[in-house]
């Protein structure tokens, strides 16, 4: 049987943390006196914390010295972490566990490829850490998605070529990163935003074992 590398994004793919990122960023925007909408939040998916703040400040037309930015970055992360305190396996998105278990059963390699610097504690809290043969997160890379660095490093750690790697992603930047890296991109979400993905599923409950079997062939 063939062995492929299956690389999972974290936020929006394994867990629905996008809602917590949204609440924490909204608090910053509220305190600065401008509106931050769910639509605005789409721009931040898969984007690093530092870049996310820059995008938000551009939206609110706010110019600020670096020391203010540093303070807001700390504030946002503290607030975000406060939402994660009680996190457990109930926050794993529907259909994820059956796919992870099937990949294990088929002796496939599994990696995490996330922009988040909070990835490890989230995997621990949700009881999914042991599924991953390699973890690459925001602490390990210097180039943000759509740069493919995060996924290329994950494939390298798994000793797998990019063309034998499959990436599950909910963000436009992440799908682009997988494509640029020469990997098979699987979008998890809406066709309207993820049309660049090679394959698309609304969520993991729509993905059956045959789809995985065909990727492994
Ligand atoms: P943190 P992913 C990304 O995670 C999120 O989609 C994005 O909204 C967030 O800003 C980024 O992680 C950084 O997260 O502040 O926890 O370091 O989707 O690449 O798993
Ligand atoms: Mg994501």
């Amino acid at each position: 049987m063939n062995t492929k590398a299956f690389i999972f994004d974290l936020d929006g793919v394994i867990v629905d943390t996008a809602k917590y990122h949204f609440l924490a960023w909204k608090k910053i925007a509220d305190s600065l006196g401008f509106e931050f909408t769910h639509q605005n939040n789409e721009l931040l998916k898969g984007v690093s914390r530092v870049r996310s703040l820059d995008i938000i400040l551009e939206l609110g037309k706010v110019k600020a010295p670096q020391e203010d930015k540093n303070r807001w970055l700390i504030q946002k992360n503290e607030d975000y972490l406060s939402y994660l305190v009680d996190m457990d396996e109930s926050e794993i998105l529907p259909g994820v566990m059956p796919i992870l278990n099937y990949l294990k059963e088929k002796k496939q390699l599994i990696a995490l490829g996330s922009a988040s610097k909070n990835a490890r504690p989230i995997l621990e809290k949700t009881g999914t850490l042991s599924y991953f043969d390699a973890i690459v997160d925001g602490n390990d890379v210097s180039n943000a998605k759509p740069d493919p660095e995060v996924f290329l490093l994950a494939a390298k750690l798994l000793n797998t070529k990019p063309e034998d790697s499959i990436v599950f992603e909910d963000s436009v930047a992440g799908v682009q990163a997988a494509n640029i890296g020469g990997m098979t991109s699987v979008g998890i979400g809406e066709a309207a935003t993820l049309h660049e993905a090679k394959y698309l599923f609304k969520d993991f409950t729509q993905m059956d074992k045959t789809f995985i079997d065909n990727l492994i062939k």
Side-chain angles (χ1 to χ4, degrees):
M1 193 200 291
N2 278 330
T3 305
K4 298 279 168 83
F6 288 83
I7 307 173
F8 288 72
D9 173 52
L10 178 67
D11 293 321
V13 168
I14 296 176
V15 281
D16 186 15
T17 38
K19 61 189 178 204
Y20 301 137
H21 282 297
F22 171 74
L23 290 173
W25 284 128
K26 191 168 163 25
K27 229 179 238 188
I28 300 285
D30 286 349
S31 71
L32 295 173
F34 62 90
E35 206 194 347
F36 180 64
T37 65
H38 280 284
Q39 204 181 340
N40 297 149
N41 197 45
E42 284 300 313
L43 299 170
L44 310 185
K45 287 189 177 173
V47 176
S48 72
R49 200 181 309 162
V50 170
R51 178 73 194 122
S52 295
L53 178 63
D54 285 340
I55 293 173
I56 287 174
L57 296 181
E58 279 164 31
L59 287 169
K61 300 190 177 32
V62 173
K63 288 208 186 325
Q66 193 55 45
E67 52 179 328
D68 282 351
K69 290 190 189 180
N70 291 344
R71 193 159 38 82
W72 294 328
L73 286 169
I74 292 170
Q75 222 172 301
K76 186 269 169 179
N77 199 48
E78 283 177 354
D79 195 35
Y80 174 66
L81 290 177
S82 74
Y83 295 113
L84 304 186
V85 170
D86 298 324
M87 184 173 228
D88 60 19
E89 67 276 6
S90 67
E91 303 228 27
I92 298 172
L93 284 163
V96 171
M97 290 318 296
I99 294 293
L100 283 174
N101 283 319
Y102 189 63
L103 292 173
K104 279 280 168 229
E105 191 188 307
K106 291 284 172 183
K107 307 221 174 331
Q108 298 301 301
L109 295 165
I110 304 177
L112 189 83
S114 166
S116 174
K117 294 190 171 182
N118 297 302
R120 276 176 189 271
I122 292 174
L123 294 180
E124 274 168 23
K125 279 170 182 290
T126 53
T128 49
L129 186 62
S130 64
Y131 282 82
F132 293 89
D133 302 298
I135 292 174
V136 182
D137 66 22
N139 299 295
D140 306 310
V141 293
S142 35
N143 300 302
K145 301 167 187 176
D147 189 289
E149 184 184 8
V150 64
F151 299 139
L152 290 176
L153 182 55
K156 193 176 164 200
L157 291 176
L158 296 178
N159 225 345
T160 308
K161 292 187 201 129
E163 58 264 40
D164 290 323
S165 304
I166 297 101
V167 173
F168 298 114
E169 254 293 346
D170 72 313
S171 73
V172 177
V175 165
Q176 289 170 340
N179 291 342
I180 293 167
M183 301 175 169
T184 301
S185 56
V186 182
I188 306 293
E190 303 301 328
T193 38
L194 300 178
H195 52 85
E196 289 175 64
K198 177 154 192 203
Y199 302 101
L200 182 80
F201 294 89
K202 204 168 179 327
D203 59 45
F204 279 99
T205 64
Q206 309 296 309
M207 194 183 292
D208 60 14
K209 290 178 177 177
T210 319
F211 175 71
I212 299 291
D213 291 342
N214 286 333
L215 289 172
I216 297 172
K217 263 182 209 157

